Amino acid sequence: MTQTDPGFHSDHDHQHCIDQALLTARDLCRQRRQRLTPIRELVLKLVWQNHQPLGAYELLPALAAAGFNSAPPTVYRALEFLQQQGFVHRIASLNAYVGCPHPDRPHRSGFLICHRCKRAIELDTAPVHRALSASAEEVGFRIEQELVEVVGLCPDCQQQEATHA
Amino acid sequence: MTQTDPGFHSDHDHQHCIDQALLTARDLCRQRRQRLTPIRELVLKLVWQNHQPLGAYELLPALAAAGFNSAPPTVYRALEFLQQQGFVHRIASLNAYVGCPHPDRPHRSGFLICHRCKRAIELDTAPVHRALSASAEEVGFRIEQELVEVVGLCPDCQQQEATHA
DNA sequence: TTGTTTGTGTTATAACATAACATGAATATA
DNA sequence: TATATTCATGTTATGTTATAACACAAACAA
Ligand SMILES: [Zn+2]
Ligand SMILES: [Zn+2]
Ligand SMILES: [Zn+2]
Ligand SMILES: [Zn+2]
């Protein structure tokens, strides 16, 4: 993650986010000899509808509307696959899933989550990782996975709160 | 959090952890004019049985054994109170609760979680916070809450894995 | 005492997630 | 092509985590 994600810029061309995510996913699956089935692709698209993490059960009606008679296991399987491929991340504090804007290479993901507009934007956690590594090393702990979820107010919502008041 | 928590030292006097937690809780509740009822105190004691986060539903049998005929809401209410007072923390990635070793002053909590022995040890997240603040400021995000949960292997378990192999 | 707030009991249900097995599609092998 | 195998999905049931809503009683304040 070198550049800032566009997610908190409310005027960005989000269709571009979606298109890019789907193209990248197709490409990576081809390279990796993985199957991006219709259900998996649809789930990915739905998760990318916007930058707000989506719960697994919120996907079910949309799948039904698209003609898939799916039950929870189907959704969870698709999400599991997409997570394994690095196309989506799970936000533990929300029990929800969000698209990854740079699935091409493995990375440590952290999130800034706005409690007002509900958008979650992926964060560059390299500096956080350095701090964590140092702390962990002090006590001899071997890190395998890092979960960083920050809740607060995004720039847009700060403005709106100020205006409203 | 100035000193290291004893949680990853398997030979520490854990009864001391428990006693200290209960004493501090009683003291703080007196100061704050809050009621540490029998159920709340018992839940706190149960959560402190060891350094392994405990699920809400795991508390129910113990409450029953102590003569409280409690249902889930009772446990969640007690946990909510204890969290508000800063006596326990919730680990989102485990859906579980663990005692806080320094409830006397508010602080940002982070955790090192061993996936082998299941212990979760609270971490000094001041350095992490500095890194996060910097990243958040870059995009104009106002932080209100930080969730940091690191999964890996504690020193004890690293040794045991090495020995076993 | 009286009224109010607070904590708990109780029942029901919501929200999130997985186990287990059947079936059919895609892929690999011969 | 035929066959075997793997993989994705359908299906049913259930497990796990958490909360809503209302009744009641204890603690507290006046
Ligand atoms: Zn976008
Ligand atoms: Zn916002
Ligand atoms: Zn201890
Ligand atoms: Zn361990």
Side-chain angles (χ1 to χ4, degrees):
Chain A
M1 199 176 335
T2 52
Q3 75 279 22
T4 303
D5 289 326
F8 279 144
H9 299 145
S10 40
D11 55 350
H12 78 278
D13 176 10
H14 184 59
Q15 189 59 49
H16 177 71
C17 292
I18 301 178
D19 295 343
Q20 192 56 47
L22 290 177
L23 282 174
T24 307
R26 282 183 205 119
D27 193 42
L28 288 173
C29 281
R30 206 176 310 120
Q31 286 178 37
R32 297 171 184 170
R33 305 277 190 277
Q34 296 291 320
R35 292 163 60 192
L36 191 62
T37 63
I39 287 188
R40 289 169 176 173
E41 185 165 340
L42 178 52
V43 168
L44 180 58
K45 192 170 142 191
L46 291 169
V47 163
W48 266 106
Q49 293 275 35
N50 51 45
H51 290 271
Q52 302 167 350
L54 218 53
Y57 278 73
E58 299 182 76
L59 295 166
L60 284 172
L63 283 176
F68 296 97
N69 187 6
S70 298
T74 299
V75 171
Y76 281 101
R77 286 169 188 145
L79 288 171
E80 186 186 19
F81 171 83
L82 296 171
Q83 284 181 267
Q84 283 167 353
Q85 299 301 318
F87 301 162
V88 310
H89 297 293
R90 179 170 190 272
I91 313 275
S93 59
L94 301 175
N95 294 327
Y97 305 80
V98 71
C100 173
H102 39 79
D104 43 305
R105 60 215 141 77
H107 56 277
R108 302 167 204 286
S109 69
F111 291 92
L112 299 179
I113 303 164
C114 178
H115 61 73
R116 190 169 175 281
C117 68
K118 312 299 182 191
R119 285 181 293 182
I121 300 307
E122 206 163 332
L123 181 68
D124 183 351
T125 54
V128 173
H129 172 68
R130 282 190 289 275
L132 275 178
S133 289
S135 299
E137 191 161 2
E138 276 179 34
V139 297
F141 188 90
R142 185 199 298 159
I143 293 181
E144 293 177 7
Q145 236 183 85
E146 294 167 21
L147 189 156
V148 175
E149 297 176 13
V150 177
V151 177
L153 267 188
C154 76
D156 279 12
C157 290
Q158 285 174 48
Q159 276 232 316
Q160 301 212 7
E161 297 241 316
T163 303
H164 171 73
Chain B
M1 196 175 340
T2 53
Q3 76 279 22
T4 301
D5 290 326
F8 280 145
H9 299 144
S10 40
D11 54 352
H12 79 278
D13 176 10
H14 184 58
Q15 189 58 48
H16 177 72
C17 294
I18 301 177
D19 295 342
Q20 192 58 45
L22 291 178
L23 283 173
T24 307
R26 282 184 207 120
D27 193 42
L28 288 174
C29 280
R30 204 175 311 120
Q31 287 177 37
R32 298 171 184 170
R33 305 279 190 275
Q34 296 291 319
R35 293 163 58 192
L36 190 63
T37 63
I39 287 188
R40 290 169 175 175
E41 184 165 341
L42 177 53
V43 167
L44 179 57
K45 192 169 141 192
L46 290 169
V47 163
W48 267 107
Q49 291 278 33
N50 50 48
H51 289 271
Q52 302 167 350
L54 218 53
Y57 279 75
E58 299 181 77
L59 296 166
L60 284 171
L63 283 177
F68 296 96
N69 187 7
S70 298
T74 300
V75 171
Y76 281 101
R77 286 167 188 149
L79 288 170
E80 187 187 17
F81 171 84
L82 296 171
Q83 285 181 268
Q84 282 168 353
Q85 298 302 317
F87 301 162
V88 309
H89 296 292
R90 178 171 190 271
I91 313 276
S93 59
L94 301 174
N95 294 327
Y97 304 81
V98 71
C100 173
H102 40 78
D104 42 306
R105 61 216 140 81
H107 57 277
R108 303 166 202 287
S109 69
F111 290 93
L112 299 178
I113 303 164
C114 178
H115 61 72
R116 190 168 175 280
C117 67
K118 311 300 182 192
R119 285 179 292 182
I121 300 309
E122 208 163 330
L123 182 66
D124 183 351
T125 54
V128 173
H129 173 68
R130 282 189 288 275
L132 275 179
S133 290
S135 299
E137 191 161 3
E138 276 179 37
V139 296
F141 188 90
R142 185 199 297 159
I143 294 181
E144 294 179 7
Q145 234 184 84
E146 294 168 21
L147 188 157
V148 174
E149 298 177 11
V150 177
V151 177
L153 267 188
C154 76
D156 280 12
C157 289
Q158 284 174 47
Q159 277 232 317
Q160 301 210 8
E161 296 241 317
T163 304
H164 171 75

